[in-house]
Amino acid sequence: HKWPGAGDIFSSCMDVAIVGLSMPMYTYRKDLKKHFFSMVPPILIFTAASLLLYPLICYHIGISSLRSIGFAGRSVTLALGTPMISNLGGDQTVMAVTTVMSGVVGALTGGPMLDFIKVPEEDYVTRGLTLGCNCGAIATAYLLGVDRRAAAISSLSFVFYGAIMVILSAIGPVKTFVHAIVGLQ
């Protein structure tokens, strides 16, 4: 008999969390269908900006090429960021640290920041889309306690955003272009 390790326990907790995030998506599935096509353009803009601007800016301020590529995964959840950065050949550690930090900081400051820029609390689409694409699953979990409709939008946003990022990172010319902007070509 082998006792479970910390990874086994953590994995079980993650399974429960995934089900917890999927419940609002099921409950508000009509809202998700209604707003899906209005969410696609901002998600595509976030995708292009993250994939191209993070590595470009990081490289030009003096961060090494591989670490600059690692910043492209900042807004993607760890589960989707790992294969994305692996496809691009970037630094996994940078991606993991920036992903967790942006999620935590987003959960702590996202709501007050959206209040500060006067996004109405009733605008659950903007709140969910913003926190989902910028802060991933951690901010989505925060939204579960604040606004379940925004949490549903956030879940859909970060999954769709992350899936597009993984797909783009697997395309050869995209990888070549990202490598070129950080001086690897």
Side-chain angles (χ1 to χ4, degrees):
H1 183 332
K2 185 177 176 185
W3 286 93
D8 298 323
I9 295 168
F10 183 70
S11 178
S12 297
C13 291
M14 290 300 292
D15 292 342
V16 171
I18 291 167
V19 171
L21 289 176
S22 67
M23 291 305 292
M25 290 181 75
Y26 178 77
T27 304
Y28 297 107
R29 63 191 177 278
K30 290 180 184 171
D31 286 334
L32 295 177
K33 289 177 188 174
K34 176 181 168 186
H35 296 292
F36 179 76
F37 289 106
S38 66
M39 293 168 49
V40 171
I43 290 173
L44 292 176
I45 291 169
F46 281 141
T47 301
S50 294
L51 192 59
L52 303 176
L53 292 179
Y54 283 130
L56 179 68
I57 292 169
C58 291
Y59 178 69
H60 283 291
I61 63 171
I63 298 173
S64 73
S65 298
L66 297 179
R67 287 188 175 158
S68 295
I69 292 172
F71 277 91
R74 181 197 70 81
S75 300
V76 182
T77 64
L78 285 174
L80 295 171
T82 302
M84 180 199 130
I85 297 303
S86 178
N87 289 343
L88 293 174
D91 190 327
Q92 297 278 341
T93 305
V94 169
M95 181 275 307
V97 169
T98 57
T99 298
V100 171
M101 287 303 299
S102 67
V104 171
V105 169
L108 294 174
T109 64
M113 184 63 71
L114 291 170
D115 292 339
F116 177 75
I117 61 173
K118 304 207 184 318
V119 174
E121 288 192 21
E122 308 81 49
D123 190 358
Y124 63 92
V125 176
T126 301
R127 287 178 174 268
L129 182 69
T130 302
L131 292 179
C133 286
N134 284 299
C135 309
I138 296 174
T140 301
Y142 154 77
L143 285 173
L144 280 173
V146 176
D147 183 350
R148 293 181 66 79
R149 290 186 309 169
I153 295 290
S154 183
S155 293
L156 179 62
S157 297
F158 83 74
V159 169
F160 187 59
Y161 169 72
I164 292 172
M165 292 286 275
V166 171
I167 291 167
L168 287 175
S169 71
I171 298 172
V174 173
K175 178 181 177 178
T176 303
F177 185 74
V178 171
H179 281 201
I181 63 175
V182 296
L184 289 175
Q185 295 290 345

